[in-house]
Structure formats: C-alpha cells, structure tokens
Amino acid sequence: MRYQQKHSTQNLVQSSQRPLNLTHQFKLHEAAIQVGLFACGLLSIFTTLGIILVLGKESIAFFTRDQWVNSNRPILSDMDEGTTVFAVEPGKALEAVGESGVIRVGQEVMDVLEFQNNQFDIAVVGTGGGFKRWCALDVELAELGVKRPQIVNASRPAKQSEIDRCRSVGINPLSFRVGTDALAIVVSADNDFISELSFAELRQVFGAAELWSDLRADWPKEAIQLVIPGEDSGTFDFFVEALFAKDPAAMLAKDPIMSENDNQLAGSIHRNPYAIGFFGYAYYLAISEDLKILALNEVEPSAATVQDGSYALSRPLFIYSDADIMREQPQVTDFISYYLDRVKEIIVDVGYFQASPEELARARGEWLSASGAENRPSVTAAEVSGSLIAAGSSTLFPLTERIADLFVGDGYLPRFEVRRGVRGENTIAPHSAGVAVEYNDRPTLLEFFTNTHWIPAIGEFGVIPLINATLMTSAIAMLVALPLGIGAAIYLSEYASPRVRSSLKPILEILAGIPTVVYGYFALTFMTPLLRGIFGVEVVNIYNTASAGIVVGILIIPLVSSMSEDALHAAPQALREASYALGATKLETVIKVVVPAALSGILGAFIVAVSRAIGEMMIVAIAAGAGPNFSFNPFDSAETMTGHIARISGGDLSYDSIDYNSIFAIGLTLFLMTFILNALSRVIISRFREAY
C-alpha cells in the first residue's frame, strides 16, 4: 500500500513537471458550426444590402423615368399632317410641359419647341388696392407673392398720390374711359318702411343718425346697420367724396360691416331688414330679388338719369395701363384694343351705362398714341401670345371678366408649337379636335414628401396620405399594446407563481402564431361592427383605421409582453430584497425599483413593437381601406404604405411601369422609417441600460 501511494505521488510530481498542451484541438463538428454561423452572418449582410440596392435602384427609376400623364385638356383645333401649332383648353395641368418637352396626341409623340401659356388672371382687390399692387416695388410684390398687373380696373380716376407713386417706379398711368356706373343704395327686400331718401337724409343715415326713427318719426326705433365696401375700394372713395367731402370719419365711427367683396355686402344687407349699404348698380341687377334699391331725391338710377346727371351717385369707369408696358408686351396692347372695340356692345348687358361717344373716341386716341399704331387695328385673339394680369375694382370686375371670356372664346388660348415625326415620318397623322393631350412628367422628391394626394393615374405621387395612415394605425396599436403588454409582463414577472408563469406565457405567445389574415377578418367582422355599434354607423366607416389599429395592437401584445417580461425578470433579485428590507410594498417595489431597472429593455420592446406595427400588412390591407386618404379621423377609411403595396402589386400592374416603380419608393420610405426606429432603439437601450 505504501509503495502504491509513493508511486502515485511520484507520477503526479512528474506529470506536474511536464508542460501542459493548451493548443486548440481541431473538432469537426465545432468547425462546421462556426462555418455555418459565419455563412449565416454573411447571408444576412448580403440580403440586407441586396434589399437596399433593389429598393434604391427602383426608387431612382421612379424619380427619373418619364411618365405619360393625360392632361384632361383636349385640343381645340384639328391637326393635319402639316400643322405644327395648335391650341388647347386652358388649364394649369399644361404648365408642367414648360417651354420644351414632349407631348403625345393619340399615338403620336411630338417635341415641344415652344409652349405659350396664354391665360388671363383678374384679381379683385379694390381700385386703391389695384394701384398699390401696380405701383409697388419688386420686393413688395415678392413679399405678397403676386405679379405686377399690366392693367388696373378702376371705378374712379387715379388720385394724384397714386400717380406720383407709380411714376416713382417708372410707370406713367394712362386711363381709358370704358363706361359709367351708378351707385345703388340698397336695403333688404324685407324692409317695408323705406323706398326713397333725400340726399340730406342719406348723409344722416351714413353719418350722425343712430336709429331709423332719428330720420322720420314713423320709422322703427331700430339701430341703423351700415354695410359698406372696404377702404381700398374705389366705390368707397367715390361715396365718401360725394357725401362727406373725402372725410369718412363719421361713417367709420358707426362700426360698419366692411368687405371688398360685393357679394358678401349684399348677403349682409339681405339678412338684416334694418341694414343699408351701397355698391355698383351692376351687382344690384344680379341680385335684385333679394334687395330693394332706393331712389335719391325721387330719382332712381337708369341710363337716362345717369346720362343727364339727375341721379347724383353716378361715376366714370376706367381701365389703366402704361405706354411702356403696352409697347413691351404686345398682348396688353391687343387686349386693350379688343376691350375698346367690344365694350360698347356688352356694357349694358353687364349692368353699366355706356360712355359717351366722345369719351370712347378719346380713349381710342390715347391707345393709338401709347401703342404707336397709325390706325385702328383688327385684333385676332387667336394670334395673341403672352399672359395677361389685371387687378383692381370689384365694380369693374364683371365687365372686364366678360370681355376676357370673349377674348378667350375668340382664340386666346394656350398653344403648342411642336416638331412632328419624332419617331419617324410614318407617325405623323391628322388628329381631330377634342383628342386629349398627354405629356411626360417626372415626380420629384419635393412632391413625393409634400403632396397630399396619391393618384398615380393623373400623376399625383404624394406619399403623405400613406405615411399618415401608417402612423395613425401604429399609434392606435401602441395605445392598445403598451398598457396591456406591459401589464401582462409585470404580472408574469412579479406576481405570478413559477407554475402559473410557465403556463400563461406560452398561452399568451400563441397569439403571435395566429395568421395575420385571421386578425384582418377579425377586425373587419368583429371590431368594426363593435365600433359602429358604440359610435354609430354614420360616424364609423366599414373600413377604418381605428379597428385596424386596435387589432394590430392585439397582435403585438405578445411581443411587448414577452420582451418586457424578460427585461423585468432579468432585474437582480437583490434589488427587490433591498426594497422590501426598506419597507416598500410589492407594488412600490415594482413601480419604483424593478421597472426603472428594466427600463432599457422595456423601451427596446416598445421600439421593436412600433416597427412591427408599421410593417404589418395583411390586417391593414383588409380592414383599414383600399384608397389613399389624407384624414386624421380614425373612423375614416385610409390606406397604409404596406396595404397600398399589397393592393396594387396584386393587381394587373405592368412590370417597369411608373406604378411598379412607385412600390419600391414606398418600400424604401418604409425601410428608412423602421431603420430609424431601430437605430433609435439602440441609442435608447444604451442610454438607459443599468449595469449590475
């Protein structure tokens, strides 16, 4: 026995004296596992890069490819094989073509050599406002976001201060008398106590008198409500000059209702039987059934009383321009000539009175002098090129608008000059009037992220409605999933016994294994009827973001609860014991100790759950709606990004079309959103992670 012990001891000593062999011994199964893991890592990286490359490539194609968009503006003129210039109906859709580009009529493609966007804009800003805009500095026009008018509509002669201001910017106002207007003094048709006023009474009504009975004892003891044009209006200036010698203080002291819009004035007078106001006679004729015109000194406005001067409130009407503007912009010269030719025949129909032959002859002489023409030309509207801008009096607006409509009807329209035979001479073919013009256009990043309409059929590519619906459903989902998921996690981690926890957690996670299509029909057939029963069928649409969001929230409850429960369970037991030792209750320990200790994990669960909600497709495709709709009402139908991709990719979608490319642009946007959320998750986890 002693020999054996001695021998064993010697062997141990000898063994301890030999160096240990710590080199790694090759094992086939470990090597296979390492190679497999490395391959999985590479596959994951290359798959991610591949997805990014595909999304990026197709998104670039979406923003750089030409798309054909029907302008919905048919051509007006027939085109034969030799026609290179043709007119189309006016419309902003044609502005996208610009001065060069490509259009298509039927099956023929044509290069656009020149695009003449002939259009007429008329702004109603009052006579004074028209002169202010006409004679403003360039920087002032830029601040207002408007262009300088070429023509000013005026219901009075220009003031000397306005003439001086215009001359300071190089404009010499030139007036053209086009007619005469009479101011209508009107009350509501429901007013049954007044039909005429003397001029002195009119001055009292708009001056010192407070009640109608202040004028005549048998009139009602009701307050006089004045309804008058704004101070920029030429009508206001004319009335103040005629009644108060240019001092409106007494009238303004009565707190009148004021507006530059004569239709608003007429509506205010019509609704109040004790109101009185004034505006152009033409407006009264348009709405005479709602109002009653008053005679002045027993004289009503008419052609005869205006011409002979017996009606006191008559005034001249002008259009103003400048000789340099007329010479530099021939379209202005042509339109003013057209105006002077047509005004006499239509002014009465509009509701004004003709200027005298002497006044019209003087206006034509001013035109000849300013334009440098030797004689009166015959203007052909179809040959006029260049935009026209007018601003000023609301009184003169109906007359100028009527003549502008005639000008457009005679051929003043947007026109294209094109090069035919772009794809070979054989493509040239005659086209009948009424064929729609199509033009190529490209969506831009600015349009993509700011436009609130997604209508690919007409070239509207604004992703905002899809993003809005996606965020709404995700927000509703998190309102459901967060409290329920975290509540379940706290119960399983802190209150449930190990046996209950081991039983309930797998049951809860079964929810994650239910196919999402089942959830989708659950939202449509159960949740939506439930919401409609609570809030009413008129309020809740059959397809709505609320029911889709609620069910998406139910879907991600297991994700929130499982990740949060793991984070809570990982908090050291010593923290709990220390809290109990200090006298804290279980609830206080959970809320003030365990949850803060596991906060990074809970926040990570929240971010991952949001990403899952944003990426959900089947539920929202079935229950939320099938059309982009920019609405913040959760009971309206709307389409999310994933729902839209599922819908249009499942239909008859041509490969490599603009619609096809748009799917990838939406997908890239969705990828960036989830990428940002996951990057945010990493930052939050590292920021709030506690080390124990």
Side-chain angles (χ1 to χ4, degrees):
M1 179 65 69
R2 289 180 180 177
Y3 172 79
Q4 290 179 347
Q5 290 177 349
K6 182 178 180 181
H7 185 72
S8 298
T9 302
Q10 291 176 348
N11 288 339
L12 288 172
V13 171
Q14 292 175 357
S15 297
S16 63
Q17 291 176 347
R18 289 197 300 266
L20 296 175
N21 183 10
L22 299 178
T23 59
H24 178 71
Q25 300 297 317
F26 176 79
K27 296 180 179 179
L28 181 61
H29 67 281
E30 290 184 357
I33 292 173
Q34 290 181 6
V35 171
L37 293 175
F38 180 73
C40 289
L42 286 179
L43 181 62
S44 176
I45 293 172
F46 283 118
T47 300
T48 303
L49 291 176
I51 291 172
I52 294 173
L53 288 174
V54 171
L55 290 175
K57 176 186 174 183
E58 297 296 339
S59 298
I60 291 172
F62 170 72
F63 288 109
T64 57
R65 70 176 297 135
D66 290 335
Q67 57 168 326
W68 289 101
V69 180
N70 191 318
S71 70
N72 296 319
R73 305 289 178 180
I75 61 174
L76 298 182
S77 55
D78 289 323
M79 288 184 66
D80 58 25
E81 290 86 345
T83 302
T84 58
V85 178
F86 62 96
V88 298
E89 288 187 358
K92 293 183 178 179
L94 296 173
E95 293 179 2
V97 178
E99 295 182 354
S100 63
V102 179
I103 62 171
R104 183 167 63 191
V105 180
Q107 297 301 313
E108 182 184 356
V109 178
M110 293 173 275
D111 275 341
V112 178
L113 302 179
E114 184 180 4
F115 173 51
Q116 300 171 353
N117 190 22
N118 299 335
Q119 59 180 349
F120 203 138
D121 294 323
I122 308 175
V124 178
V125 293
T127 300
F131 282 117
K132 286 180 182 178
R133 185 174 293 188
W134 192 32
C135 304
L137 299 173
D138 291 339
V139 65
E140 294 173 332
L141 293 172
E143 290 176 356
L144 293 173
V146 298
K147 295 180 179 180
R148 189 185 307 278
Q150 304 137 322
I151 298 169
V152 174
N153 295 322
S155 57
R156 57 165 173 80
K159 300 176 182 178
Q160 187 59 47
S161 61
E162 293 168 337
I163 294 174
D164 293 341
R165 174 67 188 276
C166 288
R167 287 175 177 169
S168 70
V169 296
I171 294 174
N172 293 297
L174 184 64
S175 65
F176 302 91
R177 177 74 178 272
V178 294
T180 305
D181 182 35
L183 257 63
I185 308 299
V186 297
V187 295
S188 171
D190 297 330
N191 185 310
D192 58 1
F193 61 87
I194 184 172
S195 59
E196 57 85 23
L197 288 170
S198 67
F199 205 77
E201 288 175 327
L202 181 65
R203 189 177 289 109
Q204 285 184 281
V205 168
F206 285 89
E210 297 289 339
L211 305 177
W212 284 106
S213 58
D214 293 341
L215 279 77
R216 300 184 188 180
D218 58 335
W219 284 358
K221 292 183 178 181
E222 296 287 346
I224 299 172
Q225 175 63 65
L226 302 186
V227 182
I228 64 175
E231 293 183 72
D232 279 340
S233 167
T235 304
F236 176 91
D237 293 336
F238 174 75
F239 186 82
V240 170
E241 183 175 359
L243 264 71
F244 302 110
K246 300 184 179 181
D247 183 9
M251 182 170 64
L252 296 177
K254 299 178 70 172
D255 193 23
I257 296 173
M258 303 179 72
S259 174
E260 301 288 354
N261 189 317
D262 289 341
N263 288 324
Q264 292 180 2
L265 299 179
S268 298
I269 297 169
H270 170 62
R271 291 188 292 271
N272 185 350
Y274 304 109
I276 186 171
F278 60 89
F279 40 71
Y281 183 69
Y283 277 96
Y284 164 72
L285 292 180
I287 53 173
S288 57
E289 61 183 21
D290 294 329
L291 302 175
K292 180 167 63 174
I293 193 168
L294 304 183
L296 289 180
N297 293 334
E298 300 182 351
V299 177
E300 290 190 4
S302 67
T305 58
V306 169
Q307 291 291 350
D308 64 21
S310 58
Y311 184 73
L313 296 179
S314 58
R315 56 177 172 168
L317 301 175
F318 303 90
I319 58 173
Y320 277 80
S321 193
D322 169 77
D324 290 339
I325 291 176
M326 293 171 62
R327 288 170 181 164
E328 293 170 4
Q329 303 181 55
Q331 72 272 23
V332 180
T333 304
D334 291 337
F335 178 72
I336 293 176
S337 178
Y338 186 91
Y339 201 124
L340 296 176
D341 283 344
R342 293 298 184 94
V343 66
K344 187 175 180 180
E345 65 188 61
I346 68 169
I347 191 169
V348 175
D349 291 338
V350 177
Y352 302 114
F353 307 102
Q354 293 178 351
S356 66
E358 294 77 16
E359 291 287 352
L360 289 175
R362 186 179 297 111
R364 175 57 69 179
E366 294 282 4
W367 182 90
L368 288 170
S369 175
S371 64
E374 296 181 357
N375 51 41
R376 176 178 175 177
S378 177
V379 176
T380 303
E383 298 176 356
V384 176
S385 298
S387 61
L388 290 165
I389 305 173
S393 169
S394 62
T395 299
L396 196 58
F397 170 75
L399 179 61
T400 302
E401 183 186 42
R402 179 75 65 86
I403 295 177
D405 289 343
L406 292 175
F407 198 52
V408 171
D410 285 346
Y412 175 71
L413 296 162
R415 287 192 297 275
F416 288 101
E417 181 179 352
V418 300
R419 180 170 67 89
R420 307 291 294 272
V422 175
R423 296 186 179 176
E425 295 298 325
N426 293 332
T427 62
I428 297 179
H431 301 285
S432 300
V435 177
V437 176
E438 295 179 325
Y439 62 88
N440 65 329
D441 190 19
R442 293 180 179 180
T444 64
L445 277 172
L446 181 64
E447 176 194 2
F448 188 72
F449 288 110
T450 60
N451 194 344
T452 57
H453 297 90
W454 183 276
I455 314 174
I458 61 172
E460 295 277 358
F461 290 99
V463 77
I464 292 295
L466 301 176
I467 293 177
N468 178 67
T470 301
L471 295 180
M472 281 187 62
T473 54
S474 300
I476 294 170
M478 297 317 297
L479 289 175
V480 173
L482 275 184
L484 295 179
I486 293 176
I490 291 174
Y491 172 76
L492 291 174
S493 174
E494 305 302 319
Y495 290 92
S497 64
R499 182 177 180 182
V500 172
R501 179 175 178 271
S502 62
S503 301
L504 287 183
K505 190 172 181 180
I507 294 174
L508 184 62
E509 292 176 348
I510 288 176
L511 290 173
I514 298 176
T516 55
V517 67
V518 175
Y519 279 108
Y521 283 103
F522 171 75
L524 187 63
T525 60
F526 176 80
M527 192 57 64
T528 295
L530 179 62
L531 293 177
R532 300 186 89 190
I534 296 172
F535 297 102
V537 295
E538 293 84 7
V539 176
V540 182
N541 290 329
I542 294 177
Y543 299 98
N544 61 86
T545 55
S547 62
I550 291 171
V551 175
V552 171
I554 295 173
L555 169 68
I556 61 178
I557 285 174
L559 179 63
V560 176
S561 65
S562 180
M563 293 185 65
S564 299
E565 193 273 336
D566 289 340
L568 292 168
H569 195 69
Q573 184 63 26
L575 293 178
R576 298 176 176 83
E577 293 172 352
S579 177
Y580 295 145
L582 293 174
T585 64
K586 193 174 188 65
L587 181 60
E588 289 173 334
T589 299
V590 170
I591 295 175
K592 297 182 179 181
V593 177
V594 179
V595 170
L599 185 59
S600 62
I602 294 173
L603 291 176
F606 169 71
I607 299 296
V608 173
V610 172
S611 300
R612 176 68 179 86
I614 289 175
E616 171 53 36
M617 179 183 68
M618 190 57 67
I619 296 174
V620 294
I622 294 173
N629 178 29
F630 186 54
S631 172
F632 294 102
N633 184 355
F635 298 136
D636 283 345
S637 64
E639 192 168 51
T640 65
M641 302 167 77
T642 52
H644 181 76
I645 292 173
R647 179 173 66 85
I648 67 172
S649 61
D652 186 13
L653 192 62
S654 299
Y655 174 76
D656 201 31
S657 64
I658 190 73
D659 290 353
Y660 174 84
N661 295 134
S662 72
I663 295 176
F664 294 91
I666 296 171
L668 182 60
T669 305
L670 189 62
F671 173 82
L672 292 175
M673 290 172 62
T674 54
F675 176 80
I676 291 171
L677 282 172
N678 282 279
L680 182 64
S681 171
R682 296 295 299 269
V683 173
I684 291 173
I685 290 173
S686 61
R687 169 68 177 81
F688 291 98
R689 174 174 290 161
E690 298 286 350
Y692 300 105

